[in-house]
Amino acid sequence: MKRLAPQPKAKANPRIVVIGGGTGLSVMLRGLKEKPLDITAIVTVGDDGGSSGILRQELQIPPPGDIRNVLSALADVEPLLEEMLNYRFQNGAGLAGHSLGNLMLAALTDISGDFVSGIRELSRVLAVRGRVLPAADQAIVLRALMSDGTYVTGESAITKANKRIERIYLEPPDVEPLEDAVQALREADAILVGPGSLYTSILPNLLVPRLAQTIEESDAIKLFVCNVMTQPGETDGYSVNDHLAAVRDHVGHHLFDYVIVNNSDIPQDIQHRYAEQGAKPVKLDLDDVRREGYKVIADRLVYFHTYLRHDAARLSHHIHQLVEGWTLRKR
């Protein structure tokens, strides 16, 4: 009998770990999930405001809000189900202010026995393309040292303090990282940080012990997506290099190979609208960034629809090209 020739193995998609939290991360993931990538998202658990803060305090669970946003972004469901997941109740004693997705995640945490299992079960229900992991399996408290020497405790209080942040800390400082998150970083072909709130969404992940160390030791390509606008109470007056310097000062070394930035002009009327809230375009000091040893990818990466947002399709195109090229060389 004639033997059949062995079939070649299907090429595995590059493994990318995305780190952050908040709206910026979710917008970017909507583009990345359309690419042939094996995605793991590591999400901050420092939120203490709104629905997340209430559920965190009353149920003693990590805050679900950022996790819910990422699950929603990676879900492969009908638009109506996604809208329902993000629906926020306007009325009802004890119910007003809560999003349905937060309540579902809280319920599944109780049913399954722990927060990580609850995320996994909701991911299955929503046909999530990829994995979503908290940076730690417990809530953390953020504490900030301000430029005037005072300390402010709690994420929501930090952004409202209207003072320049010198340094951010975690409480407890020895919080254990989720082992699945550490393992995902070890196996990654690419590690992507940002966009998002620098001090309250990005750095809290990198300050979890062993996460930044694992990133530094990895031979993955490491990318930083810089915010388009400064954030009042966090990055007032910051340039691109200021964002990178803040990361370096907190973790003790350079982490990134590439920095991805928007270089398109923002219309004056939109700038005026954001200026009323204290936000300005992040200064593009790209010569300084290159002198620090980073490679820069600059392109028109934003669009305006009610709010300025990263162009998920264009941004994910650049990320995929970088990751695919690096993975081919690596393998």
Side-chain angles (χ1 to χ4, degrees), residues 43-68 88 94 97-99 101-103 105-107 109 115 134 136-143 152-158 169-173 175 200-201 204:
V43 186
T44 183
V45 285
D47 191 5
D48 64 355
S51 171
S52 285
I54 294 170
L55 293 172
R56 165 182 175 153
Q57 183 176 4
E58 293 187 354
L59 302 181
Q60 299 300 300
I61 63 172
D66 283 331
I67 297 284
R68 183 204 79 242
R88 196 171 296 275
H98 283 296
S99 75
N102 285 1
L103 297 176
L105 192 47
T109 297
F115 189 59
D137 194 15
Q138 68 178 86
I140 57 174
V141 175
L142 303 184
R143 194 163 186 251
V152 178
T153 301
E155 177 187 320
S156 54
I158 289 169
Y169 301 91
L170 302 187
E171 293 182 354
V175 60
T200 55
S201 291

Side-chain angles (χ1 to χ4, degrees), residues 21-40:
T23 304
L25 178 65
S26 299
V27 169
M28 181 178 66
L29 286 172
R30 292 181 191 279
L32 285 179
K33 75 177 182 181
E34 304 299 333
K35 300 295 184 182
L37 295 168
D38 181 349
I39 301 172
T40 298

Side-chain angles (χ1 to χ4, degrees), residues 19 42 177 181-182 185 191 193 202-218 222 247-248 250-256:
I19 301 173
I42 298 176
V182 175
L185 288 169
I191 299 170
V193 176
I202 292 174
L203 283 171
N205 290 304
L206 300 179
L207 291 178
V208 173
R210 290 169 49 208
L211 289 191
Q213 178 185 350
T214 305
I215 295 172
E216 183 191 16
E217 293 171 350
S218 170
K222 298 155 195 174
V247 174
R248 184 179 65 248
H250 278 76
V251 304
H253 41 74
H254 283 67
L255 280 185
F256 309 111

Side-chain angles (χ1 to χ4, degrees), residues 135-207:
D137 194 15
Q138 68 178 86
I140 57 174
V141 175
L142 303 184
R143 194 163 186 251
L145 170 64
M146 301 302 193
S147 58
D148 62 359
T150 61
Y151 285 88
V152 178
T153 301
E155 177 187 320
S156 54
I158 289 169
T159 56
K160 294 175 183 174
N162 288 323
K163 298 178 181 179
R164 190 172 182 86
I165 300 170
E166 290 292 327
R167 195 165 194 85
I168 203 89
Y169 301 91
L170 302 187
E171 293 182 354
D174 57 350
V175 60
E176 280 295 314
L178 193 72
E179 284 302 324
D180 283 353
V182 175
Q183 189 62 30
L185 288 169
R186 286 176 178 154
E187 297 173 351
D189 297 305
I191 299 170
L192 175 63
V193 176
S197 301
L198 178 63
Y199 287 98
T200 55
S201 291
I202 292 174
L203 283 171
N205 290 304
L206 300 179
L207 291 178

Side-chain angles (χ1 to χ4, degrees), residues 92-326:
L95 194 57
H98 283 296
S99 75
L100 181 59
N102 285 1
L103 297 176
M104 290 171 65
L105 192 47
L108 282 168
T109 297
D110 196 33
I111 291 168
S112 64
D114 64 83
F115 189 59
V116 175
S117 296
I119 295 170
R120 185 166 55 246
E121 290 305 311
L122 189 54
S123 296
R124 183 178 59 81
V125 170
L126 297 173
V128 165
R129 300 188 198 178
R131 284 194 303 166
V132 180
L133 302 171
D137 194 15
Q138 68 178 86
I140 57 174
V141 175
L142 303 184
R143 194 163 186 251
L145 170 64
M146 301 302 193
S147 58
D148 62 359
T150 61
Y151 285 88
V152 178
T153 301
E155 177 187 320
S156 54
I158 289 169
T159 56
K160 294 175 183 174
N162 288 323
K163 298 178 181 179
R164 190 172 182 86
I165 300 170
E166 290 292 327
R167 195 165 194 85
I168 203 89
Y169 301 91
L170 302 187
E171 293 182 354
D174 57 350
V175 60
E176 280 295 314
L178 193 72
E179 284 302 324
D180 283 353
V182 175
Q183 189 62 30
L185 288 169
R186 286 176 178 154
E187 297 173 351
D189 297 305
I191 299 170
L192 175 63
V193 176
S197 301
L198 178 63
Y199 287 98
T200 55
S201 291
I202 292 174
L203 283 171
N205 290 304
L206 300 179
L207 291 178
V208 173
R210 290 169 49 208
L211 289 191
Q213 178 185 350
T214 305
I215 295 172
E216 183 191 16
E217 293 171 350
S218 170
D219 63 354
I221 186 173
K222 298 155 195 174
L223 318 172
F224 181 79
V225 180
C226 192
N227 294 335
V228 176
M229 304 295 289
T230 62
Q231 184 171 355
E234 285 206 38
T235 55
D236 300 285
Y238 271 40
S239 66
V240 175
N241 201 43
D242 289 332
H243 284 76
L244 295 164
V247 174
R248 184 179 65 248
D249 291 346
H250 278 76
V251 304
H253 41 74
H254 283 67
L255 280 185
F256 309 111
D257 303 303
Y258 284 87
V259 180
I260 303 176
V261 301
N262 170 65
N263 67 353
S264 62
D265 291 331
I266 298 170
Q268 285 297 318
D269 61 325
I270 297 175
Q271 289 196 42
H272 289 321
R273 192 178 305 183
Y274 270 80
E276 291 173 358
Q277 305 169 27
K280 296 181 178 180
V282 171
K283 181 183 175 185
L284 299 180
D285 53 347
L286 301 186
D287 288 340
D288 292 337
V289 171
R290 292 187 181 98
R291 273 194 290 270
E292 290 291 335
Y294 304 102
K295 301 179 182 71
V296 176
I297 301 295
D299 194 6
R300 179 172 56 83
L301 296 177
V302 294
Y303 71 95
F304 181 78
H305 181 69
T306 307
Y307 298 98
L308 275 174
R309 291 285 183 260
H310 273 98
D311 184 324
R314 190 180 288 266
L315 178 59
S316 60
H317 169 74
H318 282 292
I319 293 167
H320 179 246
Q321 279 198 320
L322 284 170
V323 173
E324 188 174 48
W326 176 269

